Amino acid sequence: MKKQYAVSLLVTSLVVIALAAVAGSGRTDNDIPAPPTIGTVIDDFKLPDADGKEHSLKSLAGSKGVVIMFIATKCPVSNAYNDRMEKLAQDYKAKGINVVGINSNNTEPAGEVKSHAAEKGLTFTILKDDGNKIADRLGATRTPEAYVLDANMKLVYHGRIDNSQKTEGITSEDLREALNEMLAGKAVTKTGGAAFGCTIKRVS
Amino acid sequence: MRLLLSIVLAVAFGVIAAQSQSSQAPSSNTSQNGALAGVASDITVVDLDGLKKLLQRDPKEARPLLVNFWATWCDGCREEFPDLVKIDDDYRTKGLSFLSVTVDELEDKRLAVSFIQEMKAKMPVVLLNVADKEPAIHTIDMNWDGALPATFIFDRTGAVVYRHFGKIKPEELRAAIDKEVSRKQ
C-alpha cells in the first residue's frame, strides 16, 4: 500500500515537473519552424481552395515551376500587392510558371478569401490553410511572402516580391528577377529578400 | 524510495518556485514613473545610420534596450501598444531603455503621431525612413524577415537576447526584461 502511494506520488511529481517545464518554455510565435533552405525539394501537399475543392501543389504547378504566395484579405501590405501579384500571375502563366496563393490566417475564413479574391480581381487559385500547417512547414511568417519552386519542386527563392509597398518606390523586383533567371536556366542570384509585412495569424 | 521521492518533490517545488518568480510582474507604480516623463508629442525621422546610432549601447550607461517595430497599418501593432506603454511606465526607472520605431511611410507620419498621442506614449518614437527596408531589417536581426509587430531586447553589449514576432505576450516580455535588468554587469 505504502509502495503504491509512493509510486503515485512519484508519478504526480513527474507530471508536475513536466507541466512546469512546458509552462516555462514560453512557446511563442518564434517557435515557428525555420523555413527550408534554398535548394530543398519541397514535398507535395494538398489543401482546399475557397470552395472546399482539394488541390495538390503539383497539380497547380506550371511546367517550369510554381510561385507560392502567402497572402491575406485584411493585411494592407498584402492588399497593396494585389495588382502586382495578379499581373505577375498573368505574365508568367504563358511562360510555364503558375502562381498559387495560400491564406493561412486563422482570422480569415474561406468565404472571406473567396469574396476578397473576387473583389480584388485575383484569378489565380488561392488555397485555405486551416491550422497553418503549410505555413508551418514552409516557415512562412508574413504576408505577402513568396516561395519559388522550379520544375523539380526545388526551392530557388524565398522572400519579398519587391522592395517597396508603393509602386513608385520600386527599385528592385526581386521575385521577377528570380523567375527570369530560373526561366533562362541560370542560378538565381538573389535568393531572398526581407520586407515589412503583416504577421500570419496562426492558431494559438 | 523515500530518498528518491524527496529529491523529485524538491525538484518539482524548485521548478515551480522559479517559474512563479520569473513570471511575476513587477509591482505597478505606473502613475509615479509615468509622471517622470512627458507624453511623446512628435516623432523623429531617422535613416538607417540614425537608427544604428540609437541602437548603439553607451558603455557608461549600459542599460538593456527594448525596441518595438510597428506601423499604423498593422492591427497587431496597434493592439499591443497599450501593453508596451504600461511596460515602459513600469520599467523606466528600473534600468530599461525603450525605443519605439514606426515603419510607416513618411507621408503617414501624421497618423503615427496622432496614434502615439492617443496611446499617451512616453518612450522616444522614431520613424524609419529608408527606400529599401531590407538592410534595416537585417541590421536589427538576421533572423527577422520583416513580419510586424516585432519586439527585441538588446542587452548591455548590444546583442539581441530576446525577439518576438507578432503580438507580444506581456508576461513573457516582462519576464525577459526582468532577467536583463537584474543581470549583473
Side-chain angles (χ1 to χ4, degrees):
Chain A
M1 188 64 186
K2 232 178 190 178
K3 195 177 174 185
Q4 255 182 344
Y5 173 72
V7 168
S8 66
L9 207 58
L10 174 68
V11 169
T12 313
S13 305
L14 288 172
V15 167
V16 167
I17 292 171
L19 286 175
V22 167
S25 68
R27 187 180 156 75
T28 71
D29 299 22
N30 309 328
D31 294 330
I32 297 162
T37 51
I38 297 297
T40 304
V41 173
I42 305 300
D43 290 338
D44 196 21
F45 57 79
K46 281 183 181 172
L47 281 178
D49 62 23
D51 288 318
K53 188 185 168 200
E54 206 156 82
H55 303 266
S56 70
L57 179 65
K58 271 188 182 163
S59 71
L60 296 173
S63 58
K64 301 275 177 62
V66 62
V67 179
I68 300 171
M69 194 84 82
F70 285 87
I71 63 171
T73 63
K74 293 192 186 85
C75 170
V77 185
S78 185
N79 278 323
Y81 279 91
N82 285 333
D83 290 346
R84 273 173 272 179
M85 290 190 282
E86 178 60 23
K87 179 85 170 44
L88 185 118
Q90 300 290 347
D91 289 350
Y92 286 89
K93 198 174 182 177
K95 296 174 181 173
I97 297 172
N98 291 346
V99 171
V100 175
I102 297 183
N103 183 308
S104 300
N105 283 330
N106 73 332
T107 48
E108 299 175 351
E112 188 176 306
V113 172
K114 189 178 178 180
S115 56
H116 173 265
E119 191 189 318
K120 304 296 181 189
L122 302 177
T123 60
F124 51 87
T125 304
I126 301 171
L127 305 173
K128 184 62 200 159
D129 178 26
D130 283 327
N132 46 262
K133 291 185 185 73
I134 301 306
D136 283 353
R137 194 194 288 184
L138 294 178
T141 61
R142 69 189 194 280
T143 57
E145 183 172 354
Y147 293 73
V148 178
L149 312 187
D150 69 9
N152 301 314
M153 305 293 268
K154 194 173 80 180
L155 182 66
V156 298
Y157 179 87
H158 166 213
R160 65 188 188 182
I161 296 172
D162 57 41
N163 69 301
S164 176
Q165 287 174 37
K166 302 203 171 176
T167 49
E168 58 272 24
I170 300 172
T171 54
S172 179
E173 293 196 87
D174 308 73
L175 176 57
R176 280 180 178 262
E177 282 163 24
L179 292 173
N180 293 342
E181 285 179 329
M182 185 176 85
L183 285 171
K186 296 177 187 166
V188 173
T189 315
K190 190 171 184 287
T191 55
F196 293 120
C198 307
T199 308
I200 290 175
K201 311 294 183 295
R202 289 174 145 82
V203 290
S204 48
Chain B
M1 188 55 151
R2 201 171 278 173
L3 179 67
L4 177 66
L5 192 63
S6 311
I7 293 168
V8 166
L9 283 173
V11 171
F13 286 123
V15 168
I16 293 164
Q19 290 300 323
S20 67
Q21 202 174 11
S22 70
S23 63
Q24 213 167 43
S27 60
S28 172
N29 51 357
T30 306
S31 57
Q32 196 191 345
N33 288 340
L36 294 173
V39 172
S41 57
D42 200 6
I43 291 176
T44 309
V45 177
V46 294
D47 59 11
L48 182 52
D49 283 340
L51 180 66
K52 282 180 184 171
K53 275 182 198 152
L54 290 169
L55 295 177
Q56 274 169 10
R57 313 310 303 129
D58 179 355
K60 287 178 204 156
E61 193 186 11
R63 287 158 67 102
L65 174 68
L66 177 66
V67 185
N68 173 252
F69 286 82
W70 62 280
T72 53
W73 48 257
C74 163
D75 290 346
C77 305
R78 293 198 309 274
E79 286 163 18
E80 72 174 6
F81 215 93
D83 284 320
L84 290 166
V85 171
K86 276 185 211 146
I87 285 172
D88 179 42
D89 284 342
D90 290 347
Y91 284 94
R92 186 177 286 262
T93 57
K94 290 179 183 163
L96 181 74
S97 295
F98 193 166
L99 177 67
S100 169
V101 185
T102 173
V103 301
D104 276 303
E105 298 291 332
L106 189 57
E107 56 264 40
D108 294 330
K109 185 185 159 190
R110 192 178 45 80
L111 294 175
V113 169
S114 44
F115 176 72
I116 59 160
Q117 287 174 345
E118 183 194 326
M119 289 288 115
K120 298 186 167 47
K122 303 175 194 79
M123 73 291 267
V125 185
V126 297
L127 184 147
L128 178 64
N129 183 35
V130 287
D132 191 341
K133 323 294 185 199
E134 186 169 53
I137 292 168
H138 286 161
T139 293
I140 300 296
D141 183 6
M142 285 305 288
N143 292 317
W144 185 30
D145 58 10
L148 287 182
T151 305
F152 303 90
I153 299 175
F154 293 84
D155 71 6
R156 292 178 168 93
T157 66
V160 175
V161 291
Y162 173 87
R163 58 175 66 83
H164 185 91
F165 309 132
K167 265 166 69 175
I168 58 157
K169 293 166 182 166
E171 289 308 306
E172 178 196 290
L173 179 57
R174 282 174 182 270
I177 295 169
D178 283 336
K179 197 172 152 191
E180 281 314 304
V181 295
S182 65
R183 199 187 288 275
K184 289 201 169 55
Q185 290 185 46

